[in-house]
Structure formats: C-alpha cells, structure tokens
Amino acid sequence: MQHLKFSVQLIRWQRAHGRHQLPWQNTIDPYAIWLSEIMLQQTRVITVIPYYLRFLRCYPDVKSLSLASLDEVLALWSGLGYYSRGRNLHKTACLIVSDYHGKFPRKIELIQQLPGIGRSTAAAIVVFAYGKRCAILDGNVKRVLARHFGVEGYPGEKKTEALLWKKAEELLPKNNVKGNIKAYSQALMDLGATICTRTKPKCVVCPIQRECVAFQEHREDKLPIPRPYKPLVIKETVMLMIMRRDEILLERRPPMGIWGGLWCLPEIPTSVNISLYCAQRFGIKIKLLCHIPSIDHAFTHFKLRIYPRSLKVVSQVSAISQSGQKWTSFNGALEMGIPTPVRNLLNSNYSYR
Ligand code: SF4
C-alpha cells in the first residue's frame, strides 16, 4: 500500500509541478533520449542544454552520428567533460548502424550491451521512448530513495546499490495506463533535481514528505551516506605551449585514459629537461617565454596539477614530424576537441607572450 501511494503521489506531483519543457522531453525518439541521458550523467541540465541542441543540429539521427569522425564528435563534446561518453556515443552509433540497420534496439537487454549504456540509462530509454515498465536509478533517484527510506550505506557500494535497485523496482506503478510509467520516472528525476537536492532539500514542498524517514528524523543532510573519505591524490604534469609564429603545437592523446582521443598540449613529467625533450622529440630549439602559474584540474579520483610553460621555437634543428601531432592556429585549436584546461590556456594572455 505504501508503495502504491508513493507512485501515485509522485505522478500527481509531476503532472502539476514537474518539468515538462526540457528540450529532450515530449519526444519518443530513442536517439534523442539516449543522447540526453548520456549528456546528463554527472552534468547539470543548464550546462547540457546548449550542447544537446548543438549536437542534435549537427547529428539529428544515429546514421549522421555514425558518419561523423571521432574528431568531429569530440570537438562538439569539448568542454562537457567525461570524454569517454563522447567516444562511446560515437562507437554505439556505428554499432547500431552496422548491427541493427540503424534502428535503435527495443529490448533493454540489447540496449544495455551497447558501449557506455548502463542499466539505468537503458531503462530510461525504454521508458521514455517505448513506454516500457522499467526502474531507473541514477544519482538523483538514489538520493531520493536513500533519504525517503532511510537507507544506510554508501550508494556506490554494491550491497547498498542492490538494495536501492530492489526498492526502485518494488515502487514502480503497477499499471502503465495514461503514460503513468513515464510520468513516474520523470517525477523521480524532477524531484531529485529540483526538490530533494544534494544540499538544502526543499522538504516543505516535497510531495512525499510525510513518509520520509530522513525528514522525520531530521537526517536530510546525513543521507545518503557519503563516499568513504580518501585523500585526493595529486598528480603533476608539465604542459608545453610551443609556439611557432602564430601557430601552436598540439598532440592527440591515446584513445584510452583521461582525455582519450582529444587534442592536447604536449606533456612531460616535471623531472624532464624541456629543451632536450623538444630537440629530441620535435627537432626544435626553443626559448622559454614566461613562467605561468600552475593550474589545478579536478578529476573524480585525483587532482591534476598542471605546470604550463610558454615556449617559442627559435630554430628547426631537424625535421621530425609524427602522426598525431599538429601545428595549428589558435583559432583552429579552439575549434578542435580539446580539454578545458587547454582551452583556458589557449584563451589566456600567456599564449601570446
Ligand atoms: S522530504 Fe525532504 S528528504 Fe524526504 S524525499 Fe522529500 S525532499 Fe527529500
């Protein structure tokens, strides 16, 4: 009975107070829904909207995305972070064209096997595109359920996550008339994004406040249990801004690992001699233009401390040219798929000193 009430209350609330005009709503196109779900992972709605609209304008369907080069896709993704999402998006589009004749599969089991699509994303696609009765459990939903049912344990742990999945499935509306399942799933997402927020949840206007364990016990700020504390490791690197007239040297990163497949400034460990490295690797003699303050860039599991060095080519000693390297204008570089710290450096005054 409690479960029945939960979904009824949420559906009613969503219809009256939920979000209805996000660009990826009011469509049953699995491609558009998939794109929005991937972009929204670990990223706020406000950030996603311009990227989503631009992406859809360039690649309106699976086929057009599959025909794009990975470089073009990553250039459009540039600045959104978590670049493996962009790479997987491209890989999946190619797979759908080659294995499913360009049609998005309908079965959740098949969707879940595609690169970059987890259980919750697959469920959201079949709910919103096909109206299927499936449970979603993204970060926002985990927070709502953990608070509402007083679930102890960090949701990233297998045991706690399994418990939350069980809850999510039990809570699904029993019938799927009048688009109930879509309204219910949207309600959970909307509640997590607008009411049961990570900090300062608006419990006063929450439709499921009466039965909420966290609210009853004044533990909204204690649940869900946070990730066990681990000091953030700091890694260090030197980024070389090597300039030749009005061009800068970029290198493509290996396909896997951080910023995989993106164009980046050449990097060396802090212990390496810059002049010797440039001579041996690029066949150039360089002059140090100026020292630039270090920049910290946060990843989920570590912090990258970047020491940028602004360098000018004095002479070409030998002609060493390797694939995966490119001399390009600053404007050209800014059009490419480059990570945010590199973009910031290119936009800084240091680039021209
Ligand atoms: S009452 Fe507060 S803590 Fe409980 S679900 Fe609603 S917003 Fe979240």
Side-chain angles (χ1 to χ4, degrees):
M1 189 60 196
Q2 186 205 10
H3 288 165
L4 182 64
K5 225 171 135 193
F6 184 86
S7 62
V8 170
Q9 282 168 324
L10 278 180
I11 290 170
R12 244 182 242 149
W13 173 81
Q14 206 285 328
R15 291 199 164 126
H17 305 286
R19 301 175 296 181
H20 297 272
Q21 297 306 329
L22 294 171
W24 43 86
Q25 289 181 301
N26 310 309
T27 178
I28 54 165
D29 176 3
Y31 170 74
I33 294 164
W34 164 54
L35 178 64
S36 68
E37 287 297 324
I38 300 295
M39 284 190 166
L40 287 164
Q41 288 167 4
Q42 284 125 336
T43 316
R44 287 150 51 90
V45 165
I46 193 85
T47 310
V48 165
I49 289 176
Y51 280 90
Y52 174 81
L53 295 174
R54 214 176 308 137
F55 209 93
L56 217 50
R57 258 199 313 276
C58 286
Y59 309 119
D61 49 32
V62 172
K63 178 124 190 272
S64 53
L65 178 56
S66 75
L67 292 174
S69 69
L70 181 59
D71 255 359
E72 290 167 331
V73 173
L74 291 179
L76 264 192
W77 201 273
S78 189
L80 202 53
Y82 301 98
Y83 292 90
S84 60
R85 295 182 300 172
R87 287 198 302 273
N88 282 331
L89 207 67
H90 185 247
K91 209 191 279 178
T92 290
C94 295
L95 266 175
I96 292 177
V97 168
S98 63
D99 296 5
Y100 297 97
H101 310 289
K103 290 228 168 347
F104 218 94
R106 290 184 72 89
K107 286 191 178 155
I108 189 165
E109 299 79 15
L110 295 178
I111 297 176
Q112 231 178 292
Q113 283 170 18
L114 294 167
I117 303 187
R119 181 173 169 185
S120 186
T121 303
I125 295 169
V126 298
V127 165
F128 294 116
Y130 310 133
K132 290 194 183 173
R133 188 175 172 276
C134 276
I136 55 162
L137 190 69
D138 63 13
N140 280 347
V141 180
K142 280 181 186 168
R143 182 171 60 249
V144 171
L145 299 186
R147 282 180 178 160
H148 192 77
F149 296 99
V151 174
E152 306 292 346
Y154 167 53
E157 272 168 16
K158 283 233 162 349
K159 208 171 100 196
T160 314
E161 199 184 18
L163 185 68
L164 290 169
W165 269 114
K166 191 163 168 281
K167 278 268 171 233
E169 281 177 341
E170 287 168 0
L171 291 165
L172 282 174
K174 294 287 170 261
N175 64 49
N176 189 12
V177 289
K178 294 185 197 157
N180 269 2
I181 188 69
K182 289 189 187 183
Y184 171 74
S185 308
Q186 189 64 53
L188 278 174
M189 290 177 170
D190 291 357
L191 195 81
T194 63
I195 304 288
C196 194
T197 43
R198 204 165 56 81
T199 56
K200 300 192 182 131
K202 304 174 189 71
C203 301
V204 187
V205 290
C206 177
I208 49 172
Q209 177 214 77
R210 276 168 64 119
E211 302 80 17
C212 177
V213 172
F215 180 73
Q216 305 296 337
E217 298 176 1
H218 307 290
R219 290 202 296 148
E220 304 92 305
D221 58 342
K222 300 279 181 305
L223 290 171
I225 303 291
R227 179 201 297 269
Y229 175 74
K230 254 203 219 155
L232 211 56
V233 177
I234 298 181
K235 297 184 181 177
E236 294 183 313
T237 189
V238 176
M239 276 193 184
L240 307 178
M241 302 174 72
I242 307 174
M243 285 164 275
R244 181 178 78 177
R245 293 181 292 279
D246 53 357
E247 289 184 322
I248 187 150
L249 181 63
L250 295 183
E251 277 193 317
R252 192 205 285 279
R253 293 186 65 89
M256 305 311 282
I258 62 161
W259 298 328
L262 293 189
W263 289 92
C264 210
L265 297 166
E267 275 185 56
I268 55 168
T270 48
S271 55
V272 168
N273 179 301
I274 296 176
S275 301
L276 208 58
Y277 180 84
C278 286
Q280 287 173 350
R281 186 161 164 77
F282 308 121
I284 51 174
K285 228 179 179 178
I286 48 98
K287 177 179 144 199
L288 183 65
L289 290 182
C290 66
H291 270 282
I292 306 173
S294 66
I295 307 168
D296 283 350
H297 186 76
F299 289 91
T300 318
H301 300 294
F302 67 95
K303 188 186 278 184
L304 185 65
R305 181 151 299 157
I306 300 166
Y307 298 99
R309 295 288 178 263
S310 173
L311 311 164
K312 187 180 168 190
V313 177
V314 180
S315 63
Q316 184 85 38
V317 189
S318 57
I320 301 175
S321 158
Q322 294 172 20
S323 67
Q325 288 174 3
K326 195 181 247 182
W327 286 100
T328 180
S329 67
F330 281 79
N331 284 342
L334 291 167
E335 295 288 311
M336 293 163 67
I338 51 174
T340 301
V342 173
R343 182 171 299 279
N344 293 343
L345 279 169
L346 293 180
N347 278 323
S348 72
N349 288 333
Y350 295 115
S351 315
Y352 308 99
R353 287 186 201 172

Short mmCIF file of all heavy atoms in Angstrom, two decimals, residues 140-169:
data_model
loop_
_atom_site.label_atom_id
_atom_site.label_comp_id
_atom_site.label_asym_id
_atom_site.label_seq_id
_atom_site.Cartn_x
_atom_site.Cartn_y
_atom_site.Cartn_z
N ASN A 140 20.41 11.00 -8.85
CA ASN A 140 19.34 11.75 -8.19
C ASN A 140 18.33 10.81 -7.54
O ASN A 140 17.85 11.04 -6.43
CB ASN A 140 18.61 12.64 -9.20
CG ASN A 140 19.37 13.93 -9.48
OD1 ASN A 140 20.30 14.27 -8.76
ND2 ASN A 140 18.99 14.62 -10.53
N VAL A 141 17.99 9.74 -8.27
CA VAL A 141 16.99 8.80 -7.75
C VAL A 141 17.55 8.06 -6.53
O VAL A 141 16.84 7.83 -5.54
CB VAL A 141 16.53 7.82 -8.85
CG1 VAL A 141 15.49 6.84 -8.32
CG2 VAL A 141 15.98 8.59 -10.05
N LYS A 142 18.82 7.73 -6.59
CA LYS A 142 19.46 7.06 -5.44
C LYS A 142 19.31 7.94 -4.20
O LYS A 142 19.01 7.46 -3.10
CB LYS A 142 20.95 6.84 -5.71
CG LYS A 142 21.23 5.64 -6.57
CD LYS A 142 22.74 5.49 -6.77
CE LYS A 142 23.01 4.36 -7.75
NZ LYS A 142 24.39 4.33 -8.22
N ARG A 143 19.54 9.24 -4.37
CA ARG A 143 19.46 10.16 -3.23
C ARG A 143 18.04 10.22 -2.67
O ARG A 143 17.84 10.12 -1.45
CB ARG A 143 19.92 11.55 -3.65
CG ARG A 143 19.94 12.56 -2.53
CD ARG A 143 20.60 13.86 -2.94
NE ARG A 143 19.94 14.50 -4.04
CZ ARG A 143 20.46 14.62 -5.26
NH1 ARG A 143 21.66 14.14 -5.53
NH2 ARG A 143 19.78 15.22 -6.23
N VAL A 144 17.06 10.31 -3.56
CA VAL A 144 15.66 10.38 -3.10
C VAL A 144 15.30 9.12 -2.32
O VAL A 144 14.76 9.19 -1.20
CB VAL A 144 14.69 10.55 -4.32
CG1 VAL A 144 13.24 10.41 -3.87
CG2 VAL A 144 14.91 11.89 -5.00
N LEU A 145 15.62 7.95 -2.88
CA LEU A 145 15.23 6.70 -2.23
C LEU A 145 16.00 6.49 -0.92
O LEU A 145 15.43 6.04 0.07
CB LEU A 145 15.45 5.50 -3.17
CG LEU A 145 14.66 5.52 -4.49
CD1 LEU A 145 14.85 4.22 -5.24
CD2 LEU A 145 13.18 5.78 -4.26
N ALA A 146 17.29 6.83 -0.94
CA ALA A 146 18.09 6.64 0.29
C ALA A 146 17.52 7.49 1.41
O ALA A 146 17.41 7.04 2.56
CB ALA A 146 19.54 7.01 0.02
N ARG A 147 17.12 8.71 1.10
CA ARG A 147 16.56 9.59 2.14
C ARG A 147 15.18 9.12 2.55
O ARG A 147 14.87 8.99 3.73
CB ARG A 147 16.48 11.03 1.62
CG ARG A 147 17.82 11.74 1.64
CD ARG A 147 17.68 13.14 1.11
NE ARG A 147 18.95 13.86 1.16
CZ ARG A 147 19.22 14.93 0.43
NH1 ARG A 147 18.33 15.42 -0.40
NH2 ARG A 147 20.38 15.53 0.54
N HIS A 148 14.35 8.86 1.55
CA HIS A 148 12.95 8.54 1.85
C HIS A 148 12.83 7.28 2.69
O HIS A 148 12.00 7.21 3.60
CB HIS A 148 12.17 8.37 0.55
CG HIS A 148 10.70 8.33 0.76
ND1 HIS A 148 9.95 9.46 1.00
CD2 HIS A 148 9.82 7.30 0.82
CE1 HIS A 148 8.69 9.13 1.18
NE2 HIS A 148 8.58 7.82 1.07
N PHE A 149 13.64 6.28 2.38
CA PHE A 149 13.52 5.00 3.10
C PHE A 149 14.61 4.84 4.16
O PHE A 149 14.75 3.78 4.75
CB PHE A 149 13.54 3.83 2.12
CG PHE A 149 12.35 3.85 1.20
CD1 PHE A 149 12.45 4.37 -0.08
CD2 PHE A 149 11.12 3.42 1.65
CE1 PHE A 149 11.33 4.42 -0.90
CE2 PHE A 149 10.00 3.47 0.83
CZ PHE A 149 10.10 3.97 -0.45
N GLY A 150 15.38 5.88 4.39
CA GLY A 150 16.42 5.82 5.44
C GLY A 150 17.43 4.72 5.17
O GLY A 150 17.82 3.99 6.07
N VAL A 151 17.85 4.59 3.90
CA VAL A 151 18.79 3.51 3.55
C VAL A 151 20.19 3.91 4.03
O VAL A 151 20.72 4.95 3.63
CB VAL A 151 18.80 3.26 2.02
CG1 VAL A 151 19.87 2.25 1.64
CG2 VAL A 151 17.42 2.81 1.57
N GLU A 152 20.77 3.06 4.89
CA GLU A 152 22.12 3.32 5.38
C GLU A 152 23.11 2.75 4.38
O GLU A 152 22.78 1.85 3.62
CB GLU A 152 22.32 2.68 6.75
CG GLU A 152 21.28 3.07 7.79
CD GLU A 152 21.36 4.55 8.23
OE1 GLU A 152 22.38 5.20 7.93
OE2 GLU A 152 20.40 5.03 8.85
N GLY A 153 24.32 3.22 4.39
CA GLY A 153 25.35 2.68 3.48
C GLY A 153 25.54 3.59 2.29
O GLY A 153 24.58 4.20 1.79
N TYR A 154 26.76 3.65 1.82
CA TYR A 154 27.11 4.50 0.67
C TYR A 154 26.52 3.88 -0.61
O TYR A 154 26.78 2.71 -0.91
CB TYR A 154 28.64 4.60 0.60
CG TYR A 154 29.18 5.16 -0.67
CD1 TYR A 154 28.74 6.38 -1.16
CD2 TYR A 154 30.15 4.46 -1.41
CE1 TYR A 154 29.24 6.90 -2.35
CE2 TYR A 154 30.65 4.97 -2.60
CZ TYR A 154 30.19 6.18 -3.05
OH TYR A 154 30.67 6.69 -4.22
N PRO A 155 25.71 4.65 -1.36
CA PRO A 155 25.03 4.08 -2.54
C PRO A 155 25.98 3.55 -3.62
O PRO A 155 25.57 2.79 -4.49
CB PRO A 155 24.20 5.25 -3.09
CG PRO A 155 24.05 6.17 -1.96
CD PRO A 155 25.29 6.02 -1.11
N GLY A 156 27.25 3.94 -3.57
CA GLY A 156 28.23 3.42 -4.54
C GLY A 156 28.67 2.00 -4.20
O GLY A 156 29.29 1.33 -5.02
N GLU A 157 28.35 1.53 -2.98
CA GLU A 157 28.73 0.16 -2.60
C GLU A 157 27.73 -0.81 -3.21
O GLU A 157 26.54 -0.53 -3.25
CB GLU A 157 28.63 0.01 -1.08
CG GLU A 157 29.87 0.38 -0.35
CD GLU A 157 29.60 0.49 1.15
OE1 GLU A 157 28.56 0.00 1.62
OE2 GLU A 157 30.43 1.12 1.82
N LYS A 158 28.24 -1.97 -3.60
CA LYS A 158 27.40 -2.96 -4.29
C LYS A 158 26.14 -3.31 -3.48
O LYS A 158 25.03 -3.35 -4.01
CB LYS A 158 28.21 -4.26 -4.52
CG LYS A 158 29.19 -4.19 -5.66
CD LYS A 158 28.97 -5.35 -6.61
CE LYS A 158 29.55 -5.21 -7.99
NZ LYS A 158 30.08 -3.97 -8.44
N LYS A 159 26.34 -3.57 -2.17
CA LYS A 159 25.22 -4.03 -1.34
C LYS A 159 24.12 -2.96 -1.26
O LYS A 159 22.94 -3.25 -1.42
CB LYS A 159 25.76 -4.32 0.07
CG LYS A 159 24.96 -5.38 0.81
CD LYS A 159 25.66 -5.76 2.10
CE LYS A 159 24.98 -5.02 3.23
NZ LYS A 159 25.72 -4.98 4.47
N THR A 160 24.54 -1.74 -1.02
CA THR A 160 23.55 -0.64 -0.91
C THR A 160 22.88 -0.40 -2.25
O THR A 160 21.66 -0.19 -2.32
CB THR A 160 24.26 0.65 -0.43
OG1 THR A 160 25.12 0.33 0.64
CG2 THR A 160 23.26 1.70 -0.02
N GLU A 161 23.65 -0.47 -3.31
CA GLU A 161 23.09 -0.24 -4.64
C GLU A 161 22.05 -1.32 -4.98
O GLU A 161 20.99 -1.03 -5.52
CB GLU A 161 24.21 -0.22 -5.68
CG GLU A 161 23.75 0.46 -6.96
CD GLU A 161 24.77 0.45 -8.07
OE1 GLU A 161 25.72 -0.35 -8.02
OE2 GLU A 161 24.58 1.23 -9.01
N ALA A 162 22.37 -2.56 -4.60
CA ALA A 162 21.44 -3.66 -4.88
C ALA A 162 20.12 -3.42 -4.13
O ALA A 162 19.02 -3.65 -4.64
CB ALA A 162 22.06 -4.99 -4.47
N LEU A 163 20.25 -2.94 -2.90
CA LEU A 163 19.06 -2.66 -2.09
C LEU A 163 18.21 -1.56 -2.73
O LEU A 163 16.98 -1.63 -2.81
CB LEU A 163 19.52 -2.25 -0.69
CG LEU A 163 18.45 -2.02 0.35
CD1 LEU A 163 17.79 -3.35 0.69
CD2 LEU A 163 19.05 -1.42 1.62
N LEU A 164 18.90 -0.55 -3.24
CA LEU A 164 18.19 0.58 -3.88
C LEU A 164 17.51 0.13 -5.18
O LEU A 164 16.39 0.55 -5.48
CB LEU A 164 19.16 1.74 -4.14
CG LEU A 164 19.64 2.47 -2.90
CD1 LEU A 164 20.78 3.43 -3.23
CD2 LEU A 164 18.50 3.26 -2.23
N TRP A 165 18.16 -0.75 -5.93
CA TRP A 165 17.53 -1.28 -7.15
C TRP A 165 16.27 -2.05 -6.79
O TRP A 165 15.25 -1.96 -7.48
CB TRP A 165 18.49 -2.20 -7.91
CG TRP A 165 19.32 -1.48 -8.94
CD1 TRP A 165 20.66 -1.31 -8.93
CD2 TRP A 165 18.85 -0.84 -10.13
NE1 TRP A 165 21.07 -0.59 -10.04
CE2 TRP A 165 19.98 -0.29 -10.80
CE3 TRP A 165 17.59 -0.65 -10.71
CZ2 TRP A 165 19.87 0.42 -12.01
CZ3 TRP A 165 17.50 0.05 -11.91
CH2 TRP A 165 18.62 0.57 -12.53
N LYS A 166 16.35 -2.82 -5.71
CA LYS A 166 15.19 -3.63 -5.29
C LYS A 166 14.03 -2.69 -4.96
O LYS A 166 12.90 -2.88 -5.40
CB LYS A 166 15.60 -4.46 -4.07
CG LYS A 166 14.61 -5.52 -3.69
CD LYS A 166 15.27 -6.54 -2.76
CE LYS A 166 14.21 -7.45 -2.15
NZ LYS A 166 13.51 -6.84 -1.04
N LYS A 167 14.35 -1.64 -4.20
CA LYS A 167 13.33 -0.64 -3.84
C LYS A 167 12.75 -0.02 -5.10
O LYS A 167 11.54 0.11 -5.25
CB LYS A 167 13.96 0.49 -3.01
CG LYS A 167 14.10 0.17 -1.56
CD LYS A 167 12.88 0.64 -0.80
CE LYS A 167 12.93 0.13 0.62
NZ LYS A 167 11.74 -0.58 1.02
N ALA A 168 13.64 0.39 -6.02
CA ALA A 168 13.20 1.08 -7.24
C ALA A 168 12.23 0.20 -8.02
O ALA A 168 11.24 0.69 -8.58
CB ALA A 168 14.41 1.44 -8.10
N GLU A 169 12.49 -1.10 -8.04
CA GLU A 169 11.61 -1.99 -8.79
C GLU A 169 10.28 -2.20 -8.07
O GLU A 169 9.22 -2.19 -8.70
CB GLU A 169 12.31 -3.33 -9.03
CG GLU A 169 13.28 -3.16 -10.18
CD GLU A 169 14.10 -4.37 -10.51
OE1 GLU A 169 14.22 -5.28 -9.66
OE2 GLU A 169 14.65 -4.39 -11.63
#
